Amino acid sequence: TVYQLSTLLNRVQRHNCTTAYCLRVKKGAPADSMPECHFYAPWQLQEEPSIDKNKNLLHWMFSPARNDERLNSYSRLVAMAWMANTKYRLTLKLYVLNYIAKYCTKEEKKTATYADLVKEVLPHLNCAKPLLSLVSKTINKLIRERDWSAQEVCHLLLNIPLQQA
């Protein structure tokens, strides 16, 4: 619900600057300069998202729509699923995009065939009751190494009922 999300965000996604964590004097600045937040907080309030170099002149940065100057960027889905502090930032760096593309298109390990499962279990059978041992070990292996689709995982994490065809 909106209340749960709001409570969670106020608890774990609020940025508080401290000298131990993020407050630093910029390189090359006079020694008596005031430290500034390494993450550029507090952030500017804005009604529309933008991509600009306002805070960091070296890199383009995505600035989401924001109505709270101390709230970290977040994804509703990730925040509610993880229930902890997360960092959610759009990156415009090519090497990161290449890594993500490579990772997302990587082929998943295929499920072993029943014959392969049985071959793995055979050396570990109980000699006193080989059939019962074979069946129970094979079933345990099937349950333990079950493949989960990304959609199924999201449904389970968000407590959304799975649909049956």
Side-chain angles (χ1 to χ4, degrees):
T1 66
V2 174
Y3 175 75
Q4 289 172 319
L5 178 64
S6 175
T7 303
L8 176 70
L9 295 177
N10 282 314
R11 185 173 186 194
V12 301
Q13 288 293 116
R14 186 155 300 285
H15 181 76
N16 294 312
C17 295
T18 64
T19 52
Y21 180 58
C22 66
L23 290 176
R24 312 253 193 310
V25 174
K26 285 191 174 184
K27 291 179 183 176
D32 61 342
S33 295
M34 292 293 296
E36 294 180 24
C37 179
H38 179 72
F39 303 107
Y40 309 105
W43 299 284
Q44 181 179 355
L45 302 181
Q46 56 189 52
E47 292 184 22
E48 296 292 324
S50 63
I51 297 175
D52 54 43
K53 288 186 176 184
N54 290 347
K55 291 279 189 173
N56 184 342
L57 299 175
L58 299 176
H59 302 285
W60 289 96
M61 293 182 66
F62 173 73
S63 300
R66 183 179 299 281
N67 65 359
D68 185 327
E69 64 183 12
R70 290 283 175 185
L71 194 64
N72 289 320
S73 298
Y74 67 94
S75 160
R76 281 181 267 178
L77 175 70
V78 174
M80 291 303 288
W82 196 248
M83 301 292 281
N85 181 19
T86 58
K87 186 172 186 177
Y88 189 78
R89 185 174 70 183
L90 176 67
T91 185
L92 301 171
K93 295 181 178 170
L94 189 58
Y95 69 91
V96 175
L97 297 175
N98 285 337
Y99 172 80
I100 292 170
K102 183 178 176 185
Y103 183 81
C104 290
T105 58
K106 183 172 67 172
E107 184 179 4
E108 290 186 29
K109 182 181 174 190
K110 299 291 184 216
T111 305
T113 64
Y114 291 120
D116 292 338
L117 291 175
V118 170
K119 285 178 188 174
E120 287 180 36
V121 169
L122 281 175
H124 307 287
L125 293 182
N126 181 344
C127 296
K129 297 182 180 178
L131 184 59
L132 178 64
S133 179
L134 174 69
V135 171
S136 62
K137 286 182 184 298
T138 304
I139 289 174
N140 284 336
K141 200 156 188 60
L142 278 170
I143 293 170
R144 186 177 62 227
E145 297 179 9
R146 182 180 183 283
D147 288 337
W148 297 78
S149 71
Q151 183 179 12
E152 190 174 7
V153 169
C154 286
H155 273 75
L156 292 171
L157 287 174
L158 295 171
N159 204 20
I160 299 171
L162 295 169
Q163 302 298 317
Q164 297 290 329

